[in-house]
Every structure is written in structure tokens, then in C-alpha cells.
Amino acid sequence: MNIDKLSQRLQTVAQYIPEGSRLADIGSDHAYLPCHVVKKGKVSYAIAGEVVEGPFQSAKKQVEAEGLSNRIEVRKGDGLEVISNDEVDCITIAGMGGALIASILDAGVAKLTNVKRLILQPNLSAKSIRLWLLEHGWQLVAEEILEEDGKVYEILVAEKGDPNKPYHNTNIAAALLMGPFLIEQKKVPFVKKWQGEVANWKRILGKLEEAAENEDNQKKRMELRKKILLVEEVLE
């Protein structure tokens, strides 16, 4: 992967960045994404945010090597600390756990006043993000799922709006877990991901059924059976 040829995962994130945006890429690592979209002329200005010193230095070197220092600022800080209230209108956060992404949004919620679009790519627990969006007035407007190098990735796109809209006429528990748009599409990586999850849950359930009976064990078994049923109904 390099500036001119992103991974499929980051290329899909880039496709959802609106033309002419002022972008903040949080957890930017080598700043591949902001460099790519600025170089292509899709984005007029970008901030690459990194909290860890190593990736922060890598991002700085990358931006300087591409001659983009006048249009991309690399800043060190935790989450949305690196932006002020009216600097950007699009935020990307890719390659972290869903719970961590939700906590970054939560901690920096005051910085989102003038942001028009969030593009979020969790490595796991996309449900944490869907719940956060639902509770904070952000409407999920698109979702993508793809497989790359043996891993399945989900990408969630949100704008301010009616957070309940994607969940009308759906089983909200299933939609929060699996994604309302992804359930509709039922793409090959989606089916593969959830068949794998069900197989794993069934293995765990088998072990719990062999274990000593207690209240905690019983509760875990019930939760797993519910999730298995929920997912199997969607996959039918």
C-alpha cells in the first residue's frame, strides 16, 4: 500500500469522503488516506491526527515527502483533541475497535457541531458505533462490508439527521448488531462473517453446556442462544 494505491479498505473509506471536504483523519498512522485524497484533489485541506509518537513522526515524514505540508497538518493528540470546532466538515476514523471509536466520538462530541459526515471503519464491534450514532442524533446513511487479506471489514457512514430512520421496519436488535444496510444487501463477506460468528458461538455454547451449572453459566448460555437465533433468522 502507498499514497497512490490504497488498500481496498481505505479506498472504500475514501470513496465516501465528499468532494471539497475539509477532512480530519483520526488515528492516521502513516497519513496514507489524507495524502491520497489531497493529492487527488478530492479534499482541499486535511488534518492527520495521531496520539502515538512513532506513527505521528511517520505521518509527518510522509506528508513532507509528498510535498503536501501546505495542505495537510499533522497533529499529535488524543482523538478529536487535534481539531477545533469549525476546522473540518468530515471525519474519518479507521482501523480501531468499535468501542474505542465510540469513546473517541463521545469524548470529542463538542467538536462535531459543524461536522457534516462521519466515516468510521471499526475492526470489531460495529454495534458500539451504531448505538452511539443512534443515541447522539447521527443518521446512518450507508454501510459497506468487504474482505481483504482474509479479514472482513465494515465501513459506516453517518450524517446528522433522523437516527431512527435506518431502523424503521427492521428488527432493531439484529440491525444494530449486523447493520441495517448490510442485512438488506447480504453480500458474500457479510454471510461469511456471520456464519463464522455463529459457528464460534455454538462452540462456546457447547463448552458452557459441559461446564458446571451456575447462574452466570445459565445467563451466558441464554445470551448466546438469543444471538445465534437472531443471526440465523437474518441469514435464512
Side-chain angles (χ1 to χ4, degrees):
M1 182 171 70
N2 56 45
I3 299 304
D4 299 310
K5 186 167 173 58
L6 295 179
S7 64
Q8 188 190 349
R9 171 182 70 92
L10 285 183
Q11 187 61 56
T12 307
V13 170
Q15 283 168 10
Y16 282 98
I17 299 170
E19 293 278 343
S21 293
R22 292 170 66 80
L23 172 72
D25 183 40
I26 305 301
S28 198
D29 202 12
H30 286 77
Y32 286 143
L33 179 63
C35 284
H36 178 83
V37 290
V38 168
K39 202 172 174 184
K40 294 273 183 191
K42 188 172 192 180
V43 163
S44 58
Y45 166 79
I47 294 166
E50 250 307 332
V51 70
V52 180
E53 181 65 21
F56 168 70
Q57 292 298 339
S58 296
K60 277 180 76 175
K61 283 176 191 166
Q62 190 74 63
V63 170
E64 285 162 13
E66 294 294 328
L68 296 172
S69 300
N70 60 332
R71 288 192 287 160
I72 301 175
E73 284 190 58
V74 182
R75 298 181 186 170
K76 191 177 178 188
D78 193 4
L80 303 187
E81 275 180 9
V82 298
I83 60 170
S84 59
N85 285 359
D86 54 356
E87 277 191 300
V88 299
D89 48 32
C90 179
I91 292 174
T92 51
I93 311 178
M96 303 179 201
L100 178 56
I101 292 174
S103 73
I104 286 169
L105 294 172
D106 212 42
V109 73
K111 304 281 183 78
L112 300 176
T113 312
N114 296 309
V115 173
K116 293 173 184 170
R117 177 169 282 195
L118 300 172
I119 306 160
L120 311 166
Q121 182 269 300
N123 287 347
L124 67 157
S125 188
K127 181 183 177 181
S128 303
I129 295 174
R130 292 189 189 100
L131 279 167
W132 189 92
L133 297 171
L134 189 63
E135 290 162 4
H136 290 83
W138 285 83
Q139 182 182 327
L140 197 60
V141 295
E143 292 177 307
E144 292 281 351
I145 191 163
L146 59 98
E147 184 175 3
E148 186 172 36
D149 299 330
K151 292 180 181 175
V152 175
Y153 298 104
E154 293 177 52
I155 292 151
L156 285 64
V157 184
E159 295 176 352
K160 281 171 185 158
D162 175 5
N164 295 295
K165 190 175 179 183
Y167 304 100
H168 291 163
N169 309 315
T170 67
N171 176 332
I172 192 161
L176 283 168
L177 179 66
M178 303 170 79
F181 295 97
L182 301 180
I183 285 171
E184 286 292 313
Q185 296 157 7
K186 281 196 181 73
K187 290 181 180 176
V188 172
F190 173 85
V191 174
K192 183 178 177 178
K193 172 189 165 87
W194 290 107
Q195 282 177 339
E197 291 285 5
V198 166
N200 187 44
W201 293 337
K202 283 182 175 176
R203 274 195 297 274
I204 295 165
L205 186 59
K207 285 177 183 173
L208 287 172
E209 283 168 346
E210 291 168 9
E213 183 66 28
N214 58 50
E215 196 177 329
D216 187 46
N217 183 311
Q218 193 176 14
K219 190 182 170 187
K220 283 178 183 171
R221 291 205 316 264
M222 278 177 66
E223 283 171 1
L224 279 169
R225 286 191 190 110
K226 265 192 211 172
K227 284 205 288 188
I228 290 164
L229 188 61
L230 199 66
V231 172
E232 285 184 335
E233 281 176 355
V234 169
L235 294 179
E236 275 174 8

